[in-house]
Amino acid sequence: MVNVIGLGYIGLPTALMMASHGVEVIGTDYNADLVATLNAGRTTFKEEGLEELFAKAVEAGIRFTTEYQVCDTYIVSVPTPYDKVDKKIDPGYVVAACKTVLQVAPENAVLVVESTISPGTIDRFVRSLLVEAGREDVALVHAPERIIPGNMVSELLRNNRTIGADDPKVGERVAKLYASFCQGEIAITDIRTAEMTKVVENTFRAVNIAFANELAKVCRVGDMDVHEVIRIANKHPRVNILQPGPGVGGHCIPVDPWFLVGDYPETASFVRLALQTNASMPEYVLHRAHEAMAEYGITDPAKVGIYGLTYKEDVDDVRESPTLQMLEAQAEHLGGAAMKVYDPWVEVDVVPNQVHSMDEFLDGLEMVIVMVGHSQVKGKPEVFGDCILIDPRNVMGDDANVWKL
Ligand SMILES: NC(=O)c1ccc[n+]([C@@H]2O[C@H](COP(=O)([O-])OP(=O)(O)OC[C@H]3O[C@@H](n4cnc5c(N)ncnc54)[C@H](O)[C@@H]3O)[C@@H](O)[C@H]2O)c1
């Protein structure tokens, strides 16, 4: 039996996937409201295919509780934020969850940390818990997750995975568990390598995006179309530049690379610069909007609206989103003008001046900053009427009233 600890964006679909593929699963989360929602038969976030997967898992007998269970395998999928000051990983949630697991785990249980952790986290923060608790019989494994919100269910099935274990035999056992649903290749390695590969994967993407963002700024100064430049450069068989944009959000790419910078501040200077470049983009978009306002003689910021609050298209996740970063920058440096904000995917109130319908949003607007290319608007500039569009994601076409990065 598997006890999945932490039923958020990663833990819930993983638990459901295992349960619907013949594994006996109990999901545990210390958030009683979340557990009550799941037990009432409702999912806790929107995601393509999640409802169907949920129904299958419930039919297969998955249970949800706030209690840790006695079972042979634990999968810990709790948050791993970074410390905002020194940028190092904050292992607090992982440590707390592992400590509780050790209080209930039977002899020779397997403790899989699925949360993203920086290289050496298990050695520095988890191994000592086993020693302190006199539980060195428990086998440690790290099995990082790679799925992308918006395509989680499909990627859970198809992505390749990495399993890091002290004992290769335990690694094989855990690989077999994941192979109950995973059709991808499962690489088995040691724990520190598994920790490093996950952080490296997200750092690679952060650096590539930073390169594209810097190109966007260079092309603006040099009066070139960055999208055309990247499109043609990517025709080269060994070039694959990602797209520039209004910044990087979500729980992974703007967070995990800081683990490297935090742990290796003297060495990871190039990564630091890339992260700073990405972090500069929301404010850069704001400056572009101000340029456009000046060009069109718009002086009242209330005539400018922000479309999109989530960190990417067609999800409801607002964590670290470029829009939130932009509003913060606006409040800090640019007087905190009151722009209306609308996102059809975000039903709850997240920021002031947020409205909940397109009609209410467009009322009185002359300019819209399209921060997210949700499918409701992607390729459809007409939904914004006559508004001038600031289009940092290049999803609004090439009309004269569309301003790119
Ligand atoms: N969200 C993503 O796209 C993504 C992708 C790959 C990897 N990851 C990694 O997966 C991990 C989990 O991320 P997430 O997005 O699912 O986080 P989340 O915040 O959505 O969910 C975490 C859940 O853990 C619960 N929790 C925290 N501490 C607990 C404890 N001690 N006992 C029981 N429950 C506890 C919380 O109540 C919450 O429901 C993180 O390390 C993240 O970096 C996330």
Side-chain angles (χ1 to χ4, degrees):
M1 186 170 85
V2 175
N3 190 193
V4 176
I5 313 290
L7 299 173
Y9 284 94
I10 295 301
L12 179 65
T14 303
L16 299 177
M17 198 52 102
M18 284 187 178
S20 59
H21 285 81
V23 179
E24 195 183 348
V25 180
I26 298 192
T28 296
D29 199 294
Y30 67 11
N31 179 342
D33 289 342
L34 181 146
V35 169
T37 303
L38 295 173
N39 279 329
R42 295 194 306 273
T43 52
T44 40
F45 59 96
K46 292 182 207 159
E47 179 66 41
E48 174 87 32
L50 192 66
E51 304 261 333
E52 294 81 350
L53 185 64
F54 184 78
K56 267 195 216 162
V58 169
E59 173 137 1
I62 190 169
R63 283 177 290 144
F64 305 105
T65 170
T66 53
E67 304 295 323
Y68 286 55
Q69 304 296 306
V70 177
C71 62
D72 50 64
T73 306
Y74 297 84
I75 296 181
V76 170
S77 187
V78 297
T80 41
Y82 63 73
D83 184 305
K84 295 265 189 257
V85 179
D86 67 8
K87 306 295 189 191
K88 290 186 182 179
I89 187 170
D90 169 1
Y93 292 94
V94 170
V95 166
C98 291
K99 261 189 183 165
T100 315
V101 165
L102 293 176
Q103 286 163 15
V104 297
E107 209 172 326
N108 300 321
V110 177
L111 171 50
V112 181
V113 176
E114 216 185 75
S115 301
T116 303
I117 47 182
S118 67
T121 297
I122 290 206
D123 283 345
R124 276 178 286 146
F125 300 105
V126 180
R127 221 174 273 290
S128 54
L129 301 177
L130 271 59
V131 178
E132 282 162 24
R135 293 304 313 270
E136 283 160 281
D137 57 291
V138 172
L140 290 175
V141 173
H142 178 45
E145 183 50 75
R146 288 171 164 153
I147 55 177
I148 188 167
N151 200 21
M152 284 181 161
V153 175
S154 160
E155 289 210 354
L156 263 174
L157 288 169
R158 290 180 190 88
N159 281 1
N160 302 323
R161 305 194 68 102
T162 314
I163 306 282
D166 293 331
D167 177 349
K169 282 204 197 88
V170 174
E172 293 287 351
R173 244 171 67 201
V174 173
K176 222 165 142 192
L177 175 65
Y178 281 97
S180 63
F181 65 86
C182 169
Q183 299 156 15
E185 183 185 323
I186 303 182
I188 299 174
T189 182
D190 60 87
I191 287 179
R192 197 176 271 247
T193 305
E195 292 172 323
M196 183 65 170
T197 51
K198 169 67 195 179
V199 173
V200 162
E201 288 155 17
N202 282 345
T203 304
F204 172 78
R205 290 181 57 78
V207 167
N208 194 331
I209 293 167
F211 178 57
N213 283 335
E214 187 159 293
L215 290 182
K217 291 180 176 176
V218 169
C219 286
R220 172 67 37 217
V221 175
D223 196 21
M224 291 167 272
D225 177 347
V226 67
H227 303 292
E228 180 75 344
V229 169
I230 292 177
R231 189 181 68 78
I232 294 171
N234 280 349
K235 301 269 179 202
H236 184 293
R238 286 169 295 284
V239 172
N240 182 17
I241 307 167
L242 295 175
Q243 294 302 314
V248 180
H251 203 44
C252 296
I253 297 181
V255 177
D256 305 345
W258 280 114
F259 296 168
L260 279 187
V261 179
D263 284 350
Y264 302 93
E266 304 300 323
T267 323
S269 49
F270 169 65
V271 176
R272 180 198 304 273
L273 193 58
L275 296 172
Q276 286 166 344
T277 301
N278 290 341
S280 74
M281 295 312 288
E283 203 172 342
Y284 183 77
V285 173
L286 214 45
H287 284 296
R288 282 292 287 153
H290 282 216
E291 279 173 11
M293 284 169 74
E295 173 93 10
Y296 289 96
I298 301 171
T299 48
D300 181 1
K303 293 189 171 162
V304 182
I306 299 170
Y307 177 89
L309 248 177
T310 62
Y311 81 90
K312 63 175 289 220
E313 70 285 354
D314 297 345
V315 299
D316 62 1
D317 190 345
V318 302
R319 289 180 295 183
E320 314 278 333
S321 92
T323 301
L324 294 179
Q325 296 173 41
M326 191 165 87
L327 291 172
E328 214 172 285
Q330 186 183 24
E332 272 174 27
H333 308 296
L334 300 160
M339 292 185 189
K340 267 193 276 184
V341 181
Y342 172 59
D343 190 315
W345 285 75
V346 182
E347 283 156 15
V348 291
D349 277 332
V350 176
V351 293
N353 305 319
Q354 188 179 341
V355 295
H356 291 283
S357 80
M358 193 64 147
D359 285 346
E360 200 183 339
F361 177 63
L362 289 178
D363 187 29
L365 287 191
E366 291 182 13
M367 181 180 286
V368 176
I369 309 175
V370 185
M371 290 293 278
V372 188
H374 289 310
S375 46
Q376 285 91 338
V377 302
K378 188 173 180 179
K380 302 171 197 159
E382 65 281 2
V383 298
F384 294 111
D386 293 334
C387 286
I388 295 135
L389 301 179
I390 310 297
D391 181 21
R393 291 199 194 257
N394 193 29
V395 289
M396 287 289 113
D398 293 321
D399 255 40
N401 69 340
V402 175
W403 280 50
K404 310 281 181 196
L405 267 182

